Amino acid sequence: MNSADIKTVKSILSQPQKIAIIPHRNPDGDAMGSCLALYGFLKATGHTVQVVAPNDYPKFLKWMPWNDTVINFERENPKAKEAINEASVIFTLDFNDLSRVGQMEAVLQEAEADFIMIDHHQQPSDYAKVTYSDVSMSSTCEMVYNFINFLGETELIDADMATNLYTGIMTDTGSFKYRSTSSKTHRVVAELIDKGADNMKIHQKVFDTNSPSRLHLLGVALGNMVILPEYRTAYITLSQDELDQYDFKKGDTEGFVNYGLTLEGIIFALIFIENREEGIIKISLRSVGDFSVNEFARAHFNGGGHTNAAGGRSEVSMEETISKFNEILKTYKSKLNP
């Protein structure tokens, strides 16, 4: 944030505000961690605050401090709309375009509040009064820590805020292994541990709560993996029938896409997941090195994200989607084999 933006934010927050904090649709650990940490901070500084999530999120995140205060827009629509319409300030966290909130978009478009965006994805839209965007950051949670630091208020970060921030940084960095994990990230994490974040307990709550059905679904996913060594690519498919067979719950396929990248020589990995209710194939893309899955997703699958992690979607069948992908992949052979 530049000095002008910091001054603007300090002015806005200098008097009590009604604040809504919004993550993206299908919120992950970074989205919920940043929203719940900011919730705690803004409550501590005298504001009336509400987190409004566009839809549900995985069970392995629902232990986080202040989780029980979150309003689900899909399930509690009147209450969610009221919180947004009454807000004088709206923070949007971990996304940079209002299309990323699904059905909530129209409500946000009509809101008269001042918007403040905190996000680390590429190509931000210009809807916010204050935009804090930095694609070099490991996570939005690291940015929320910086945001609090810019305001000179890090002494207010307690164990609950630290726990939420640590959770988001840990999940969005692949447990601190991605390129965006900087020395500064580690210094922030050290500060969060000093403030009460229990790193072992957080890791266990996020990663060590699998159900037998989730592990069986992982077995199916790995059995479906297709390896294309000439393109240094591996992809997984999961049909709706396979999800149903193993009692799929939101978040069960989290991390499955990364298994492709554990193969020697593979630098591009994808997972294609059928969602019959929405009529789409949801696509997650990962890479290592300089191959940009953000550019690939934006160009071919209505998506985007980061250089090494992105999402997309297809509105045709799984068979047609895979056929399209295989044809597109042929044009990337040289980029995948530099």
Side-chain angles (χ1 to χ4, degrees):
M1 287 176 72
N2 59 42
S3 57
D5 285 340
I6 295 170
K7 185 177 179 180
T8 299
V9 171
K10 284 183 175 180
S11 176
I12 291 172
L13 299 181
S14 64
Q15 52 189 351
Q17 303 282 358
K18 281 192 173 181
I19 298 175
I21 306 174
I22 315 294
H24 55 75
R25 180 174 168 77
N26 299 321
D28 56 9
D30 190 28
M32 293 312 302
S34 58
C35 285
L36 290 170
L38 185 62
Y39 170 92
F41 170 73
L42 293 171
K43 290 282 284 187
T45 50
H47 303 284
T48 302
V49 193
Q50 186 63 64
V51 177
V52 183
N55 63 339
D56 203 8
Y57 46 94
K59 180 181 177 182
F60 61 76
L61 298 175
K62 292 187 176 179
W63 59 271
M64 296 168 70
W66 301 302
N67 172 75
D68 58 353
T69 69
V70 177
I71 298 174
N72 181 320
F73 183 85
E74 285 188 350
R75 293 181 181 172
E76 305 168 90
N77 191 264
K79 189 176 179 181
K81 286 181 176 178
E82 181 181 2
I84 293 169
N85 291 334
E86 291 185 355
S88 52
V89 180
I90 295 176
F91 281 84
T92 61
L93 269 54
D94 202 37
F95 68 97
N96 61 21
D97 189 278
L98 295 182
S99 63
R100 292 283 284 112
V101 297
Q103 295 178 356
M104 194 190 292
E105 180 179 2
V107 181
L108 291 180
Q109 292 279 14
E110 294 172 2
E112 297 180 359
D114 289 329
F115 279 77
I116 299 174
M117 178 206 300
I118 304 177
D119 179 66
H120 65 134
H121 297 88
Q122 299 183 28
Q123 300 178 3
S125 299
D126 61 355
Y127 61 82
K129 182 171 184 176
V130 174
T131 295
Y132 174 27
S133 174
D134 188 342
V135 298
S136 72
M137 284 284 132
S138 71
S139 56
T140 299
C141 277
E142 183 176 349
M143 296 179 73
V144 168
Y145 178 91
N146 291 344
F147 176 83
I148 296 170
N149 189 38
F150 291 143
L151 299 180
E153 304 274 18
T154 54
E155 73 278 0
L156 293 179
I157 297 177
D158 61 14
D160 286 341
M161 294 180 221
T163 294
N164 289 333
L165 291 175
Y166 185 101
T167 302
I169 296 173
M170 178 189 73
T171 55
D172 234 39
T173 59
S175 296
F176 313 104
K177 72 181 181 182
Y178 297 154
R179 178 186 290 178
S180 60
T181 309
S182 66
S183 59
K184 170 87 185 306
T185 307
H186 284 289
R187 285 191 288 271
V188 169
V189 163
E191 185 72 17
L192 296 175
I193 292 172
D194 288 345
K195 288 180 177 293
D198 185 333
N199 54 307
M200 185 177 76
K201 183 178 179 182
I202 293 168
H203 192 280
Q204 288 175 335
K205 284 183 174 290
V206 172
F207 295 115
D208 299 339
T209 56
N210 287 319
S211 64
S213 60
R214 181 179 188 268
L215 293 185
H216 290 144
L217 182 62
L218 173 60
V220 172
L222 295 178
N224 290 349
M225 182 183 289
V226 175
I227 303 167
L228 304 170
E230 67 272 31
Y231 298 106
R232 305 178 73 188
T233 296
Y235 69 85
I236 291 168
T237 59
L238 282 172
S239 70
Q240 185 69 62
D241 288 342
E242 288 168 329
L243 298 175
D244 292 344
Q245 181 181 355
Y246 293 99
D247 193 27
F248 170 77
K249 301 288 190 302
K250 186 175 286 290
D252 277 356
T253 57
E254 188 85 18
F256 283 15
V257 65
N258 296 315
Y259 281 91
L261 294 180
T262 68
L263 293 165
E264 184 176 4
I266 298 300
I267 65 167
F268 184 25
L270 309 89
I271 187 167
F272 299 86
I273 302 173
E274 182 180 14
N275 185 322
R276 197 172 290 153
E277 182 181 352
E278 295 185 22
I280 64 168
I281 307 297
K282 181 183 176 184
I283 309 168
S284 293
L285 309 89
R286 300 291 185 270
S287 68
V288 293
D290 296 327
F291 183 73
S292 175
V293 291
N294 170 62
E295 293 178 6
F296 189 94
R298 285 182 183 275
H300 305 293
F301 289 107
N302 306 303
H306 307 286
T307 299
N308 298 124
R313 58 190 285 159
S314 169
E315 296 181 355
V316 296
S317 69
M318 179 71 81
E319 184 179 357
E320 291 172 290
T321 300
I322 297 301
S323 177
K324 174 185 173 180
F325 168 70
N326 284 323
E327 287 302 310
I328 293 168
L329 195 61
K330 294 175 183 177
T331 69
Y332 282 83
K333 189 171 185 178
S334 60
K335 286 188 177 181
L336 291 163
N337 293 276

